[in-house]
Amino acid sequence: MPFPRCLVCGSSVNDAGVDHVHRFPRNEQKSKIWQDAMGIKYIPGVSLKNYSICSRHFTVCSYLNRVTGKLCANAVPTLLPASSVGLQSPSEQTLETPSTPPRSIFRGIKGLSAADTTPRKQHLMNLVKSKEAHIRKLKKLCRKKTSDIKSLTNIGDSTVVRNVFRGMSSVTTDFLISQLRCAKKSPRGRRWITQDKVLALALFKKSPKCYRLLRKMVALPSKNTQLAMLL
Ligand SMILES: [Zn+2]
């Protein structure tokens, strides 16, 4: 199990100059006094009993026994090490300089502004931010691949399909592409370009009976579609 870290400076008992790590008092009033002394913004109803503070913030007088780490009943942390001043600045500093705007994921979460973070929190926030950036990159890649796939399915404009039909007349190419495009569509879902309609009209004018027979074999515009073009 990892050693508890100081909420103010992020140190643990493993670090130099830290002899003990003390829990914040369960008593709310006492906890508030500690928080005020350390420049931590007090939020009513939010207990810091699960958070700790290291011995570097207590004067020697605060201890009943320095060896065992027993604090006086009215001990209050008063020392702010230079390294933690920037991290846990007094509240007035927070008011003067706006904290860095949190990323969308951290928006609305209290205690994550630059003034309230500990090194561990900062590290985790950076980790989340980097993962978020990675997800954004992947989403962008997904969008690009999706549009690539869509453009592939649009066979009418596909150069690959055009190359397959290379050497055929433009009428044949247009007809074959229209068949490919409309093969999986329901009759009402088919869309025709002008060339398709012109070819269909030519066939229909030649022989309406033959056109009806052809419509049973291949996808061709209906009579109404042709009439709509003429109007
Ligand atoms: Zn500390």
Side-chain angles (χ1 to χ4, degrees):
M1 196 176 159
F3 291 107
R5 289 194 169 271
C6 172
L7 183 64
V8 180
C9 64
S11 311
S12 73
V13 282
N14 283 338
D15 295 316
V18 180
D19 300 322
H20 306 285
V21 170
H22 310 281
R23 291 263 179 185
F24 271 82
R26 283 174 180 275
N27 180 294
E28 202 173 331
Q29 281 304 315
K30 202 173 170 186
S31 180
K32 183 180 179 303
I33 294 167
W34 282 33
Q35 290 175 50
D36 289 344
M38 287 292 102
I40 299 168
K41 193 180 175 191
Y42 170 72
I43 303 164
V46 177
S47 172
L48 295 185
K49 64 179 182 184
N50 294 326
Y51 291 88
S52 305
I53 184 165
C54 71
S55 57
R56 290 201 292 187
H57 310 289
F58 291 92
T59 56
V60 180
C61 309
S62 307
Y63 284 94
L64 279 177
N65 188 328
R66 183 82 190 178
V67 180
T68 59
K70 176 85 175 160
L71 286 168
C72 301
N74 58 352
V76 174
T78 49
L79 307 174
L80 274 172
S83 61
S84 71
V85 167
L87 293 166
Q88 290 294 328
S89 54
S91 52
E92 56 264 29
Q93 190 180 333
T94 315
L95 291 171
E96 282 168 10
T97 54
S99 56
T100 50
R103 291 212 73 88
S104 57
I105 198 164
F106 300 118
R107 198 169 293 151
I109 302 175
K110 286 177 181 173
L112 287 183
S113 63
D116 296 339
T117 48
T118 58
R120 186 165 171 270
K121 266 189 197 174
Q122 193 65 49
H123 171 70
L124 289 171
M125 277 169 75
N126 288 341
L127 198 69
V128 170
K129 281 175 193 173
S130 75
K131 294 290 173 196
E132 223 189 1
H134 188 59
I135 288 170
R136 272 202 301 277
K137 259 187 203 169
L138 287 177
K139 277 184 179 172
K140 197 176 167 188
L141 194 69
C142 265
R143 278 198 295 274
K144 191 182 173 296
K145 294 289 172 194
T146 308
S147 70
D148 284 355
I149 290 167
K150 267 187 188 168
S151 67
L152 276 177
T153 54
N154 188 12
I155 52 169
D157 295 333
S158 168
T159 48
V160 178
V161 174
R162 291 268 169 197
N163 282 334
V164 169
F165 298 146
R166 196 166 49 191
M168 296 179 187
S169 70
S170 66
V171 177
T172 316
T173 309
D174 288 340
F175 176 74
L176 290 174
I177 286 174
S178 79
Q179 293 306 302
L180 286 171
R181 193 176 60 240
C182 298
K184 289 180 182 174
K185 298 269 170 68
S186 68
R188 281 180 181 278
R190 291 169 187 162
R191 296 291 175 265
W192 307 101
I193 56 172
T194 315
Q195 286 92 322
D196 301 335
K197 291 176 195 170
V198 168
L199 176 69
L201 193 64
L203 289 169
F204 186 78
K205 286 288 278 178
K206 206 76 178 168
S207 167
K209 204 173 174 182
C210 187
Y211 187 76
R212 279 193 289 276
L213 179 69
L214 267 176
R215 276 199 77 196
K216 289 176 186 171
M217 296 181 237
V218 292
L220 285 169
S222 70
K223 193 178 159 188
N224 286 342
T225 309
Q226 294 175 42
L227 285 173
M229 185 182 68
L230 294 173
L231 292 174

